[in-house]
């Protein structure tokens, strides 16, 4: 059961996966966490629902769904994988977080998108093995479930949507729709 926290835009959901607090408040990952939470409009951790999204519990998965910045958002956590989907048409871009936590961007990516990914701090615990794909069907990030990676993914996809001037796609019933790029 989710409950309001502080202002009406923040909600605590006890069973949504929460990550451990960073060990060193001055570390790169702690600074990134603070930046991400502030950009998403979240007052604190753990287990806080980003403003504009609601939690939906289903048999085999948990979904966060709603609208942020005029774009439809769908986050799914099931079978050990979290998929974050921002429904906005963007230029084609594919990237993968390497073992060091830095993104490797495929050739042909828009320079602005590649630069945005290159500007991120390499944080192994945050970006390792995260797959990102952008295109006409939206912006998608896929990672193994755990911690609060979906917050980083949402922040990253919103950053890329803004950077790539991604246009919102028409509303769909996200519960019935599959995110694009299933081979991300």
């Amino acid at each position: 059961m989710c409950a309001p926290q502080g202002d009406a835009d923040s909600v605590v959901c006890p069973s949504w996966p929460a990550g451990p607090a960073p060990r060193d408040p001055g570390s790169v990952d702690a600074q990134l966490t603070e930046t991400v939470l502030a950009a998403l409009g979240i007052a604190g951790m753990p287990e806080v629902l980003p403003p504009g999204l609601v939690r939906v519990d289903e048999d085999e998965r948990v979904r966060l769904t709603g609208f942020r910045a005029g774009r439809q958002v769908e986050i799914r956590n099931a079978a050990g994988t979290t998929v974050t989907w921002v429904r906005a048409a963007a230029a084609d871009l594919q990237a993968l977080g390497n073992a060091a936590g830095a993104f490797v961007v495929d050739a042909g990516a828009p320079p602005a998108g590649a630069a945005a990914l290159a500007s991120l701090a390499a944080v192994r615990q945050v970006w390792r093995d995260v797959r990102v794909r952008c295109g006409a069907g939206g912006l998608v990030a896929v990672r193994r479930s755990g911690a609060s990676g979906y917050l980083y993914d949402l922040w990253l996809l919103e950053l890329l949507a803004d950077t790539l001037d991604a246009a919102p796609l028409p509303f769909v019933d996200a519960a019935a729709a599959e995110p694009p790029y299933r081979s991300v």
Side-chain angles (χ1 to χ4, degrees), residues 18-135:
R23 292 186 190 115
D24 174 8
S27 69
V28 172
D29 59 331
Q31 294 168 7
L32 178 61
T33 299
E34 290 177 23
T35 299
V36 168
L37 293 177
L40 291 173
I42 297 173
M45 290 288 279
E47 307 176 61
V48 178
L49 187 64
L53 301 182
V54 296
R55 179 188 164 106
V56 179
D57 291 294
E58 298 175 344
D59 291 336
E60 299 294 321
R61 67 181 178 185
V62 175
R63 296 174 44 236
L64 301 180
T65 189
F67 286 85
R68 291 181 48 86
R71 303 176 191 114
Q72 189 175 6
V73 173
E74 175 79 4
I75 301 171
R76 297 177 181 178
N77 186 349
T81 301
T82 300
V83 177
T84 303
W85 180 20
V86 174
R87 290 195 27 82
D92 289 334
L93 180 147
Q94 291 187 62
L96 175 64
N98 66 17
F103 279 101
V104 177
V105 181
D106 283 359
L117 290 169
S119 73
L120 299 175
V123 182
R124 182 176 185 265
Q125 302 89 326
V126 174
W127 303 124
R128 181 180 181 185
D129 296 328
V130 173
R131 293 179 187 94
V132 175
R133 179 137 183 225
C134 306

Side-chain angles (χ1 to χ4, degrees), residues 164-181:
L164 299 172
D165 294 322
L169 292 168
F171 175 81
V172 297
D173 178 3
E178 282 300 316
Y181 330 120

Side-chain angles (χ1 to χ4, degrees), residues 3-12 41-44 48-49 51:
Q5 175 184 347
D7 59 63
D9 290 330
S10 296
V11 178
V12 174
I42 297 173
V48 178
L49 187 64

